[in-house]
Amino acid sequence: MGALGSVRVRHNLQSRLTEARKRTDEVFQIVKDEAIYDRPINERHRIIFYVGHVDAFDWNLLAERAFGLRSFHESFDKLFAFGIDPVGGGLPTDKPSDWPAREEIHRYNLRLREELDGAIARALGEPAEGHPLLIPMLETAVEHRLMHAETLSYMLHQLPADRKIPGENEILWKTARAKSHLVEIQSGHTSLGLRRQHAEEFGWDNEFEPQEAFVPEFAIDNYNVKNRDFLLFMQSGGYADRSLWSEEAWAWKKQENIEHPSFWRRTGNLWMYRTMFGEVQLPLDWPVYVSHAEATAYAKWLGRKLPSEEQFHRAAYGTSDVNVEREYPWGDEAPSPRYGNFDFANWDLKPVGSSPRGASAFGIHDIVGNGWEWTRTEFAPFPGFTPMPFYPGYSANFFDGKHYVMKGGSPRTAACMLRKSFRNWFQPHYPYVYATFRCVED
Ligand SMILES: [Fe+2]
């Protein structure tokens, strides 16, 4: 990287951290003061934990390791260090009174940001003397925070509307009639993963090394499965048909009494839908948000499957020229609102097919944006995987056969994480995530 390039990266990283902080600050701003100790999802921490966590993470990652800064509040550094992954653990039992006041955490965050910003500016001014991994560590801080901006949105989606201060949100019901059909994708190679070639190109450990895969011919839905489609599955008894569910999924469904997607609520004969800031009648043309287990059962009902990670890549980035792949489904241009519903432009979904300019070369719509897409691929390392030295558990803790790869992105996914190699993952029974799906025949 030339001198000019490194100046650009440094400048860019400082402003990206500032922008990312704005994103998490604006998510917390929708929480009314009286709701800050609420726990909208039983298996997760109370909201107050995250107010401290997104900043304590930066401090714990960078302060001593990169800058030799001494802690000014060790108990908060520890208290806010770790989130909860709900697999296997019991429910947390802490009380609101176990947590500090919102104001006290704000003071901690302010001081921490001031100290870190000073140190970052000094270190980036003298790159030769700084920590050799400073740039990837700063990228980690930025993307970790942006991921929380999204997972906090899932969490606050479950918080009752009267506990929130509504943000700007456009509810779009319909676009031109979107007719779903399967699109044939001819066989061909596809590339996954990321090559370590530019110092400025950041990827998480699970994105390396680059992979080539040959994908035999298959057919894939041009649109996501809509609420309208999923309603048919429900009405035809899909939730009661044992043959559509794996043993674990069936046990989960029975234990949790799952009879419909978690964003839906029945009132009399009507289905209501929980948007971020209140209930509306079920928007029939929006992609359906469901767990992996529900998506899998629906696909099986039609005699189809969820796409594999390789099929997703081929459908999203491939072209009719088998030697040419795109950076994004729509081409090589950076993400912008004309190409899809992502990067915090909205809190909720849009009807399928609302961003026709973002369709892939094969005419697959919304494959990046407007909801993550479940795949049938278990989350596992690519050959050549090496954990990040400063965050060894980021991916490795989840290579347990209990998580599935999600690709694409939701309305609350930051533009930088719409890159082709980015992989997200969740366990199959977690119902709150902004994930939808489409089916394949292969
Ligand atoms: Fe975190």
Side-chain angles (χ1 to χ4, degrees):
M1 183 167 44
L4 216 65
S6 48
V7 170
R8 186 173 47 79
V9 170
R10 279 179 274 153
H11 172 74
N12 190 282
L13 264 169
Q14 271 177 323
S15 58
R16 285 183 55 212
L17 182 57
T18 308
E19 280 302 305
R21 285 175 181 157
K22 272 193 214 149
R23 290 296 181 203
T24 45
D25 289 349
E26 80 194 5
V27 178
F28 291 121
Q29 275 156 17
I30 71 168
V31 182
K32 288 185 177 170
D33 268 335
E34 62 265 34
I36 201 75
Y37 294 94
D38 286 7
R39 190 197 303 279
I41 296 179
N42 286 339
E43 298 91 335
R44 297 284 189 201
H45 276 306
R46 296 174 188 281
I47 300 165
I48 192 77
F49 164 82
Y50 299 93
V51 177
H53 172 68
V54 286
D55 279 287
F57 177 91
D58 293 354
W59 181 264
N60 290 332
L61 175 69
L62 295 163
E64 203 190 328
R65 191 181 278 114
F67 309 124
L69 293 174
R70 296 276 302 277
S71 172
F72 61 91
H73 204 319
E74 272 180 35
S75 63
F76 273 20
D77 302 345
K78 279 205 189 84
L79 182 65
F80 296 116
F82 298 108
I84 303 175
D85 181 59
V87 169
L91 295 181
T93 55
D94 57 280
K95 298 183 287 301
S97 58
D98 297 338
W99 296 92
R102 192 174 188 172
E103 259 320 296
E104 209 188 330
I105 303 172
H106 275 307
R107 282 197 297 276
Y108 167 77
N109 291 347
L110 277 180
R111 171 149 179 208
L112 173 165
R113 288 182 186 186
E114 219 177 276
E115 290 210 17
L116 280 182
D117 286 349
I120 292 169
R122 283 191 296 278
L124 292 178
E126 303 283 344
E129 284 154 43
H131 191 289
L133 295 177
L134 179 63
I135 302 290
M137 285 198 283
L138 287 173
E139 295 273 8
T140 297
V142 168
E143 292 207 0
H144 168 266
R145 184 182 284 272
L146 290 171
M147 279 183 223
H148 272 293
E150 172 162 14
T151 53
L152 280 162
S153 304
Y154 307 158
M155 173 178 281
L156 299 182
H157 209 113
Q158 302 302 319
L159 187 68
D162 62 358
R163 311 284 282 166
K164 288 180 274 202
I165 302 159
E168 246 178 73
N169 200 27
E170 187 193 5
I171 299 288
L172 239 183
W173 292 92
K174 252 190 160 348
T175 49
R177 186 101 190 112
K179 193 122 183 58
S180 302
H181 59 90
L182 287 169
V183 177
E184 297 281 343
I185 312 282
Q186 76 254 40
S187 62
H189 281 89
T190 193
S191 58
L192 290 82
L194 193 57
R195 192 173 301 283
R196 291 176 209 276
Q197 52 183 353
H198 305 298
E200 73 260 41
E201 193 157 24
F202 174 74
W204 293 91
D205 51 8
N206 65 63
E207 295 171 58
F208 299 103
E209 297 292 325
Q211 314 293 319
E212 280 280 317
F214 176 76
V215 187
E217 187 179 271
F218 67 103
I220 186 165
D221 284 327
N222 64 331
Y223 293 119
N224 286 119
V225 172
K226 295 174 279 194
N227 287 322
R228 180 194 301 281
D229 308 320
F230 207 81
L231 195 56
L232 288 178
F233 166 74
M234 288 186 46
Q235 287 167 343
S236 79
Y239 276 84
D241 184 344
R242 173 72 188 81
S243 70
L244 301 177
W245 304 78
S246 72
E247 209 166 299
E248 298 84 49
W250 188 254
W252 160 74
K253 199 176 68 62
K254 277 187 84 175
Q255 190 189 329
E256 306 286 325
N257 228 348
I258 309 286
E259 288 174 346
H260 56 80
S262 77
F263 289 75
W264 299 18
R265 188 177 67 85
R266 185 176 214 133
T267 164
N269 278 334
L270 217 57
W271 282 104
M272 302 299 288
Y273 183 90
R274 181 187 284 154
T275 68
M276 188 60 167
F277 298 111
E279 277 192 347
V280 296
Q281 262 196 53
L282 186 68
L284 292 170
D285 291 314
W286 291 13
V288 64
Y289 277 152
V290 279
S291 67
H292 187 270
E294 289 161 300
T296 305
Y298 176 95
K300 202 163 177 195
W301 175 63
L302 289 181
R304 296 178 182 164
K305 290 178 189 163
L306 298 184
S308 66
E309 188 176 7
E310 289 83 0
Q311 286 173 331
F312 176 95
H313 271 257
R314 178 93 181 106
Y317 307 110
T319 64
S320 54
D321 179 344
V322 289
N323 297 310
V324 177
E325 276 193 323
R326 297 174 167 183
E327 277 305 302
Y328 295 97
W330 53 85
D332 295 336
E333 233 179 276
S336 74
R338 85 182 86 150
Y339 295 127
N341 184 16
F342 42 61
D343 203 28
F344 309 102
N346 213 38
W347 292 91
D348 284 292
L349 290 167
K350 293 192 171 162
V352 300
S354 292
S355 311
R357 296 172 74 175
S360 80
F362 297 118
I364 313 302
H365 288 252
D366 313 310
I367 193 156
V368 166
N370 217 36
W372 288 95
E373 310 237 343
W374 283 116
T375 74
R376 65 173 190 263
T377 301
E378 272 180 22
F379 183 55
F382 290 147
F385 169 83
T386 319
M388 296 168 122
F390 49 82
Y391 195 171
Y394 172 71
S395 308
N397 288 355
F398 302 93
F399 296 146
D400 55 5
K402 293 180 181 155
H403 294 79
Y404 287 88
V405 173
M406 298 190 319
K407 293 287 297 184
S410 85
R412 310 298 299 168
T413 306
C416 60
M417 286 179 290
L418 302 174
R419 64 178 174 269
K420 192 174 167 181
S421 57
F422 188 85
R423 308 169 81 202
N424 200 348
W425 67 92
F426 265 89
Q427 52 117 337
H429 306 148
Y430 192 64
Y432 310 116
V433 55
Y434 290 155
T436 181
F437 69 107
R438 67 187 75 223
C439 301
V440 297
E441 281 182 9
D442 58 8

